[in-house]
Amino acid sequence: MAPRSPFRINVANILRHQDPRRELVQAEIPDLFVSGSEVPPGSLVDVDVELLPIGAAIEAIGTVKAPWQGPCRRCLQMAYGTLEGPVREVFEDPCEEGETYPLAHDEIDLEPLARETVVLELPQAPLCKEDCLGLCPHCGIDRNEGTCSCEPPRDPRWSVLDELRTTDLEES
């Protein structure tokens, strides 16, 4: 028998007494990634929500947090960060496909909500720092660690003007 998911929450008392409750769940969710970054395997995803009764439904309001990592889009060094995404979703029975989440047998499952929030918040093109200088496109040196003597290539459309520049330098 598979172990019970920590993201599954019994909401019978909330529905019966119409009394809100705060839930904080920290657990691993495997395979959270987008093209540019991922939640490192074994990392915990935090779901901190207030569960509010709305008649026979439950509204979850709060945040989802998780660490992330991915190669910097400029220098290719590993970049790290923490994402935080707001959530405000409704769980009901029957659920409306694409609009609400299922509430079945007095239980809700916060994992699909957490998974969707993390995937939407993961950076597609991470940066190690906002002012990352990246790599030199000619010699490949990391401009954050040193400088190079490469000159940017000249645009062939301006070649006639480049000849004038060379002539001026030779005359002086």
Side-chain angles (χ1 to χ4, degrees), residues 9-36:
I9 308 293
N10 187 308
V11 293
N13 283 338
I14 297 172
L15 292 170
R16 190 173 304 118
H17 303 292
Q18 294 292 300
D19 194 22
R21 182 172 80 208
R22 183 171 177 201
E23 287 289 334
L24 176 60
V25 180
Q26 297 177 314
E28 181 182 352
I29 301 176
D31 301 323
L32 289 174
F33 60 90
V34 292
S35 61

Side-chain angles (χ1 to χ4, degrees), residues 56-58 90-105 107:
I58 297 286
V90 174
F91 293 82
E92 65 183 351
D93 182 27
C95 70
E96 294 180 39
E97 186 68 34
E99 297 294 321
T100 62
Y101 289 91
L103 186 160
H105 309 293
E107 279 191 342

Side-chain angles (χ1 to χ4, degrees), residues 121-154:
E121 294 292 327
L122 278 169
Q124 296 275 337
L127 278 174
C128 61
K129 57 186 179 183
E130 281 299 315
D131 61 345
C132 176
L133 299 174
L135 303 175
C136 173
H138 305 289
C139 68
I141 191 170
D142 186 341
R143 291 178 175 164
N144 297 306
E145 296 174 3
T147 58
C148 63
S149 59
C150 296
E151 288 187 30
R154 299 199 186 256

